[in-house]
Amino acid sequence: MSTVQCVLAGSAQMMLFALSLPKESIVVVEGAVALLDNPLRYTTVREVEIQVRKLYCISRAAPKLPISVEDAGRSAEEFAKAEAKGVPLPCVGQDTRLDYRVIDLRTAAGQAVFRVQHQVENKFREYLSSKDFISIHTPKLISGSSEGGAAVFKLEYKNGKCACLAQSPQLHKQMAICGGFCRVFEVGSVFRAEDSNTHRHLCEFVGLDAEMEIMRHYFEVCDIVDGLFVELLRHLNENCKTELEAINRQYPFEPVKYLESTLRLSYEEGIQMLKEAGTEIEPMADLNTEAEKKLGQLVREKYDTDFFILYRYPLAARPFYTMPCYDNPAYSNSFDVFLRGEHKNCSSFT
């Protein structure tokens, strides 16, 4: 979504007409594009403005809307500054945003989030297609649980039978590989009846899943994941600058740091870094949340990257189907991808 400054250059009658239009009305303008001496700060189009000669109202908004786009688009910093001055601003809570989602979507950040998602999905498809993956669509309404370790949504089906919403496309992707497709991917909905109320647990999300044959070594999978994330992060930085700026204004964040050739650490190397920093880890055990965050911090300080791969986990810390290492069966042919101290689920690749 782009914004541009419009300056009325017509008659006094047109100016009165413009002043009578409620905010969020849909209008069409005709005018001349004029270069500015000084770039604007509050619009996305900053070098020019439109000197309006004609103004048409296509759809007049209600005089009083339940929420304003301006209020819905404020950052926490704006609220804090207003509070410090003793002039608190209206705060739009999450429930209110969802009740009036159509208006909430008109904020700069709301628009930008969807546009970035669009770019992520497109790049995911484009990159994997270039690596000879093909897109498939797996069932989302199935007869039983698709993952034993995740809660499942059950619903009444026909003739008294029960059906489940798919928790993962994992089994169907593996069936496609066994059927001779070699490399497949899917962009589709995933449903999990999670009880945990954290940012890492969602009841519904869009999964980016892939599955592939391994010819000689599981690092072939690491190579695909490595290339995918690096290409994706580069693409967003180069093609979504305006959208990322809009999101950052309302929800401040630091740009992701990454290496062109992704850092790969063995489990033992990661554990050694944690021990040297004074973090005790149970021998041959999986990393807990605190240890993951600490390792992410140590990696950033040492290697200047937020993104890395940790591989060769202890076999006891991985699911039963994980393949043991040929040189030491106490370890496994497995890996996790870490971004800012949190591992991202790549079991679909392993």
Side-chain angles (χ1 to χ4, degrees):
M1 181 177 71
S2 298
T3 56
V4 63
Q5 175 171 280
C6 294
V7 178
L8 296 181
S11 64
Q13 185 179 4
M14 184 178 71
M15 293 181 186
L16 290 173
F17 173 69
L19 290 171
S20 73
L21 296 176
K23 289 184 177 180
E24 304 308 313
S25 296
I26 308 299
V27 300
V28 171
V29 300
E30 291 183 14
V33 176
L35 286 171
L36 297 171
D37 295 330
N38 299 310
L40 298 170
R41 297 179 57 188
Y42 50 85
T43 57
T44 60
V45 180
R46 298 171 180 172
E47 307 296 331
V48 299
E49 67 180 13
I50 299 177
Q51 295 178 350
V52 180
R53 290 195 290 262
K54 294 183 180 180
L55 172 64
Y56 304 91
C57 179
I58 305 301
S59 178
R60 183 183 290 265
K64 187 174 182 180
L65 297 173
I67 62 173
S68 77
V69 173
E70 185 179 11
D71 289 337
R74 298 187 193 280
S75 66
E77 183 182 5
E78 289 179 89
F79 286 115
K81 287 181 177 179
E83 190 74 30
K85 293 178 179 178
V87 284
L89 296 169
C91 181
V92 183
Q94 180 171 290
D95 288 345
T96 304
R97 288 181 185 274
L98 295 176
D99 286 341
Y100 305 103
R101 185 64 168 147
V102 173
I103 302 177
D104 182 52
L105 285 174
R106 294 175 66 85
T107 64
Q111 289 273 321
V113 166
F114 278 82
R115 296 180 190 280
V116 170
Q117 286 179 347
H118 168 71
Q119 292 294 331
V120 169
E121 179 180 340
N122 275 2
K123 199 62 186 177
F124 178 80
R125 292 179 180 275
E126 178 187 312
Y127 181 82
L128 291 183
S129 296
S130 74
K131 300 298 181 181
D132 298 323
F133 284 74
I134 68 166
S135 175
I136 63 173
H137 299 285
T138 62
K140 303 307 172 195
L141 189 63
I142 55 181
S143 61
S145 172
S146 52
E147 281 195 5
V152 61
F153 283 108
K154 296 182 178 180
L155 61 151
E156 185 179 343
Y157 194 58
K158 297 180 180 181
N159 302 322
K161 295 182 179 180
C162 179
C164 299
L165 295 179
Q167 302 149 285
S168 165
Q170 183 70 25
L171 296 178
H172 292 93
K173 288 186 303 172
Q174 291 171 344
M175 289 169 63
I177 299 300
C178 293
F181 286 99
C182 300
R183 294 182 169 196
V184 299
F185 72 88
E186 179 180 28
V187 178
S189 297
V190 177
F191 304 92
R192 298 187 177 181
E194 298 281 8
D195 290 328
S196 301
N197 185 22
T198 76
H199 70 281
R200 298 177 60 166
H201 295 85
L202 296 172
C203 289
E204 179 184 359
F205 60 90
V206 176
L208 306 179
D209 288 273
E211 192 78 31
M212 62 180 279
E213 287 183 342
I214 297 174
M215 299 301 292
R216 293 180 176 84
H217 195 275
Y218 75 101
F219 271 19
E220 297 167 29
V221 186
C222 292
D223 292 341
I224 293 291
V225 175
D226 177 350
L228 171 63
F229 273 86
V230 170
E231 186 69 19
L232 180 58
L233 291 169
R234 182 191 301 121
H235 177 78
L236 294 179
N237 286 337
E238 293 176 355
N239 297 279
C240 297
K241 292 179 181 179
T242 300
E243 289 80 7
L244 293 175
E245 287 175 3
I247 296 170
N248 195 32
R249 282 195 298 271
Q250 185 167 0
Y251 307 106
F253 65 88
E254 292 184 20
V256 175
K257 289 192 172 185
Y258 66 95
L259 305 175
E260 288 298 321
S261 180
T262 300
L263 174 69
R264 299 183 190 183
L265 295 174
S266 69
Y267 172 86
E268 291 175 312
E269 290 172 322
I271 293 300
Q272 185 60 35
M273 288 179 66
L274 288 169
K275 286 183 177 179
E276 291 174 358
T279 302
E280 291 298 324
I281 302 295
E282 184 181 345
M284 305 300 281
D286 203 356
L287 301 181
N288 58 33
T289 301
E290 290 73 21
E292 287 181 355
K293 290 181 177 179
K294 182 63 177 179
L295 182 59
Q297 175 189 334
L298 295 172
V299 165
R300 173 150 185 171
E301 292 172 355
K302 184 174 182 179
Y303 298 101
D304 196 33
T305 181
D306 293 315
F307 176 65
F308 65 98
I309 294 174
L310 193 68
Y311 68 93
R312 196 180 165 92
Y313 275 78
L315 187 65
R318 308 307 277 180
F320 71 91
Y321 50 76
T322 309
M323 184 178 181
C325 289
Y326 69 92
D327 59 331
N328 186 345
Y331 291 90
S332 64
N333 291 340
S334 64
F335 70 95
D336 271 334
V337 170
F338 283 79
L339 184 60
R340 289 182 168 164
E342 291 188 2
H343 81 266
K344 307 303 172 185
N345 184 9
C346 282
S347 61
S348 300
F349 280 96
T350 57

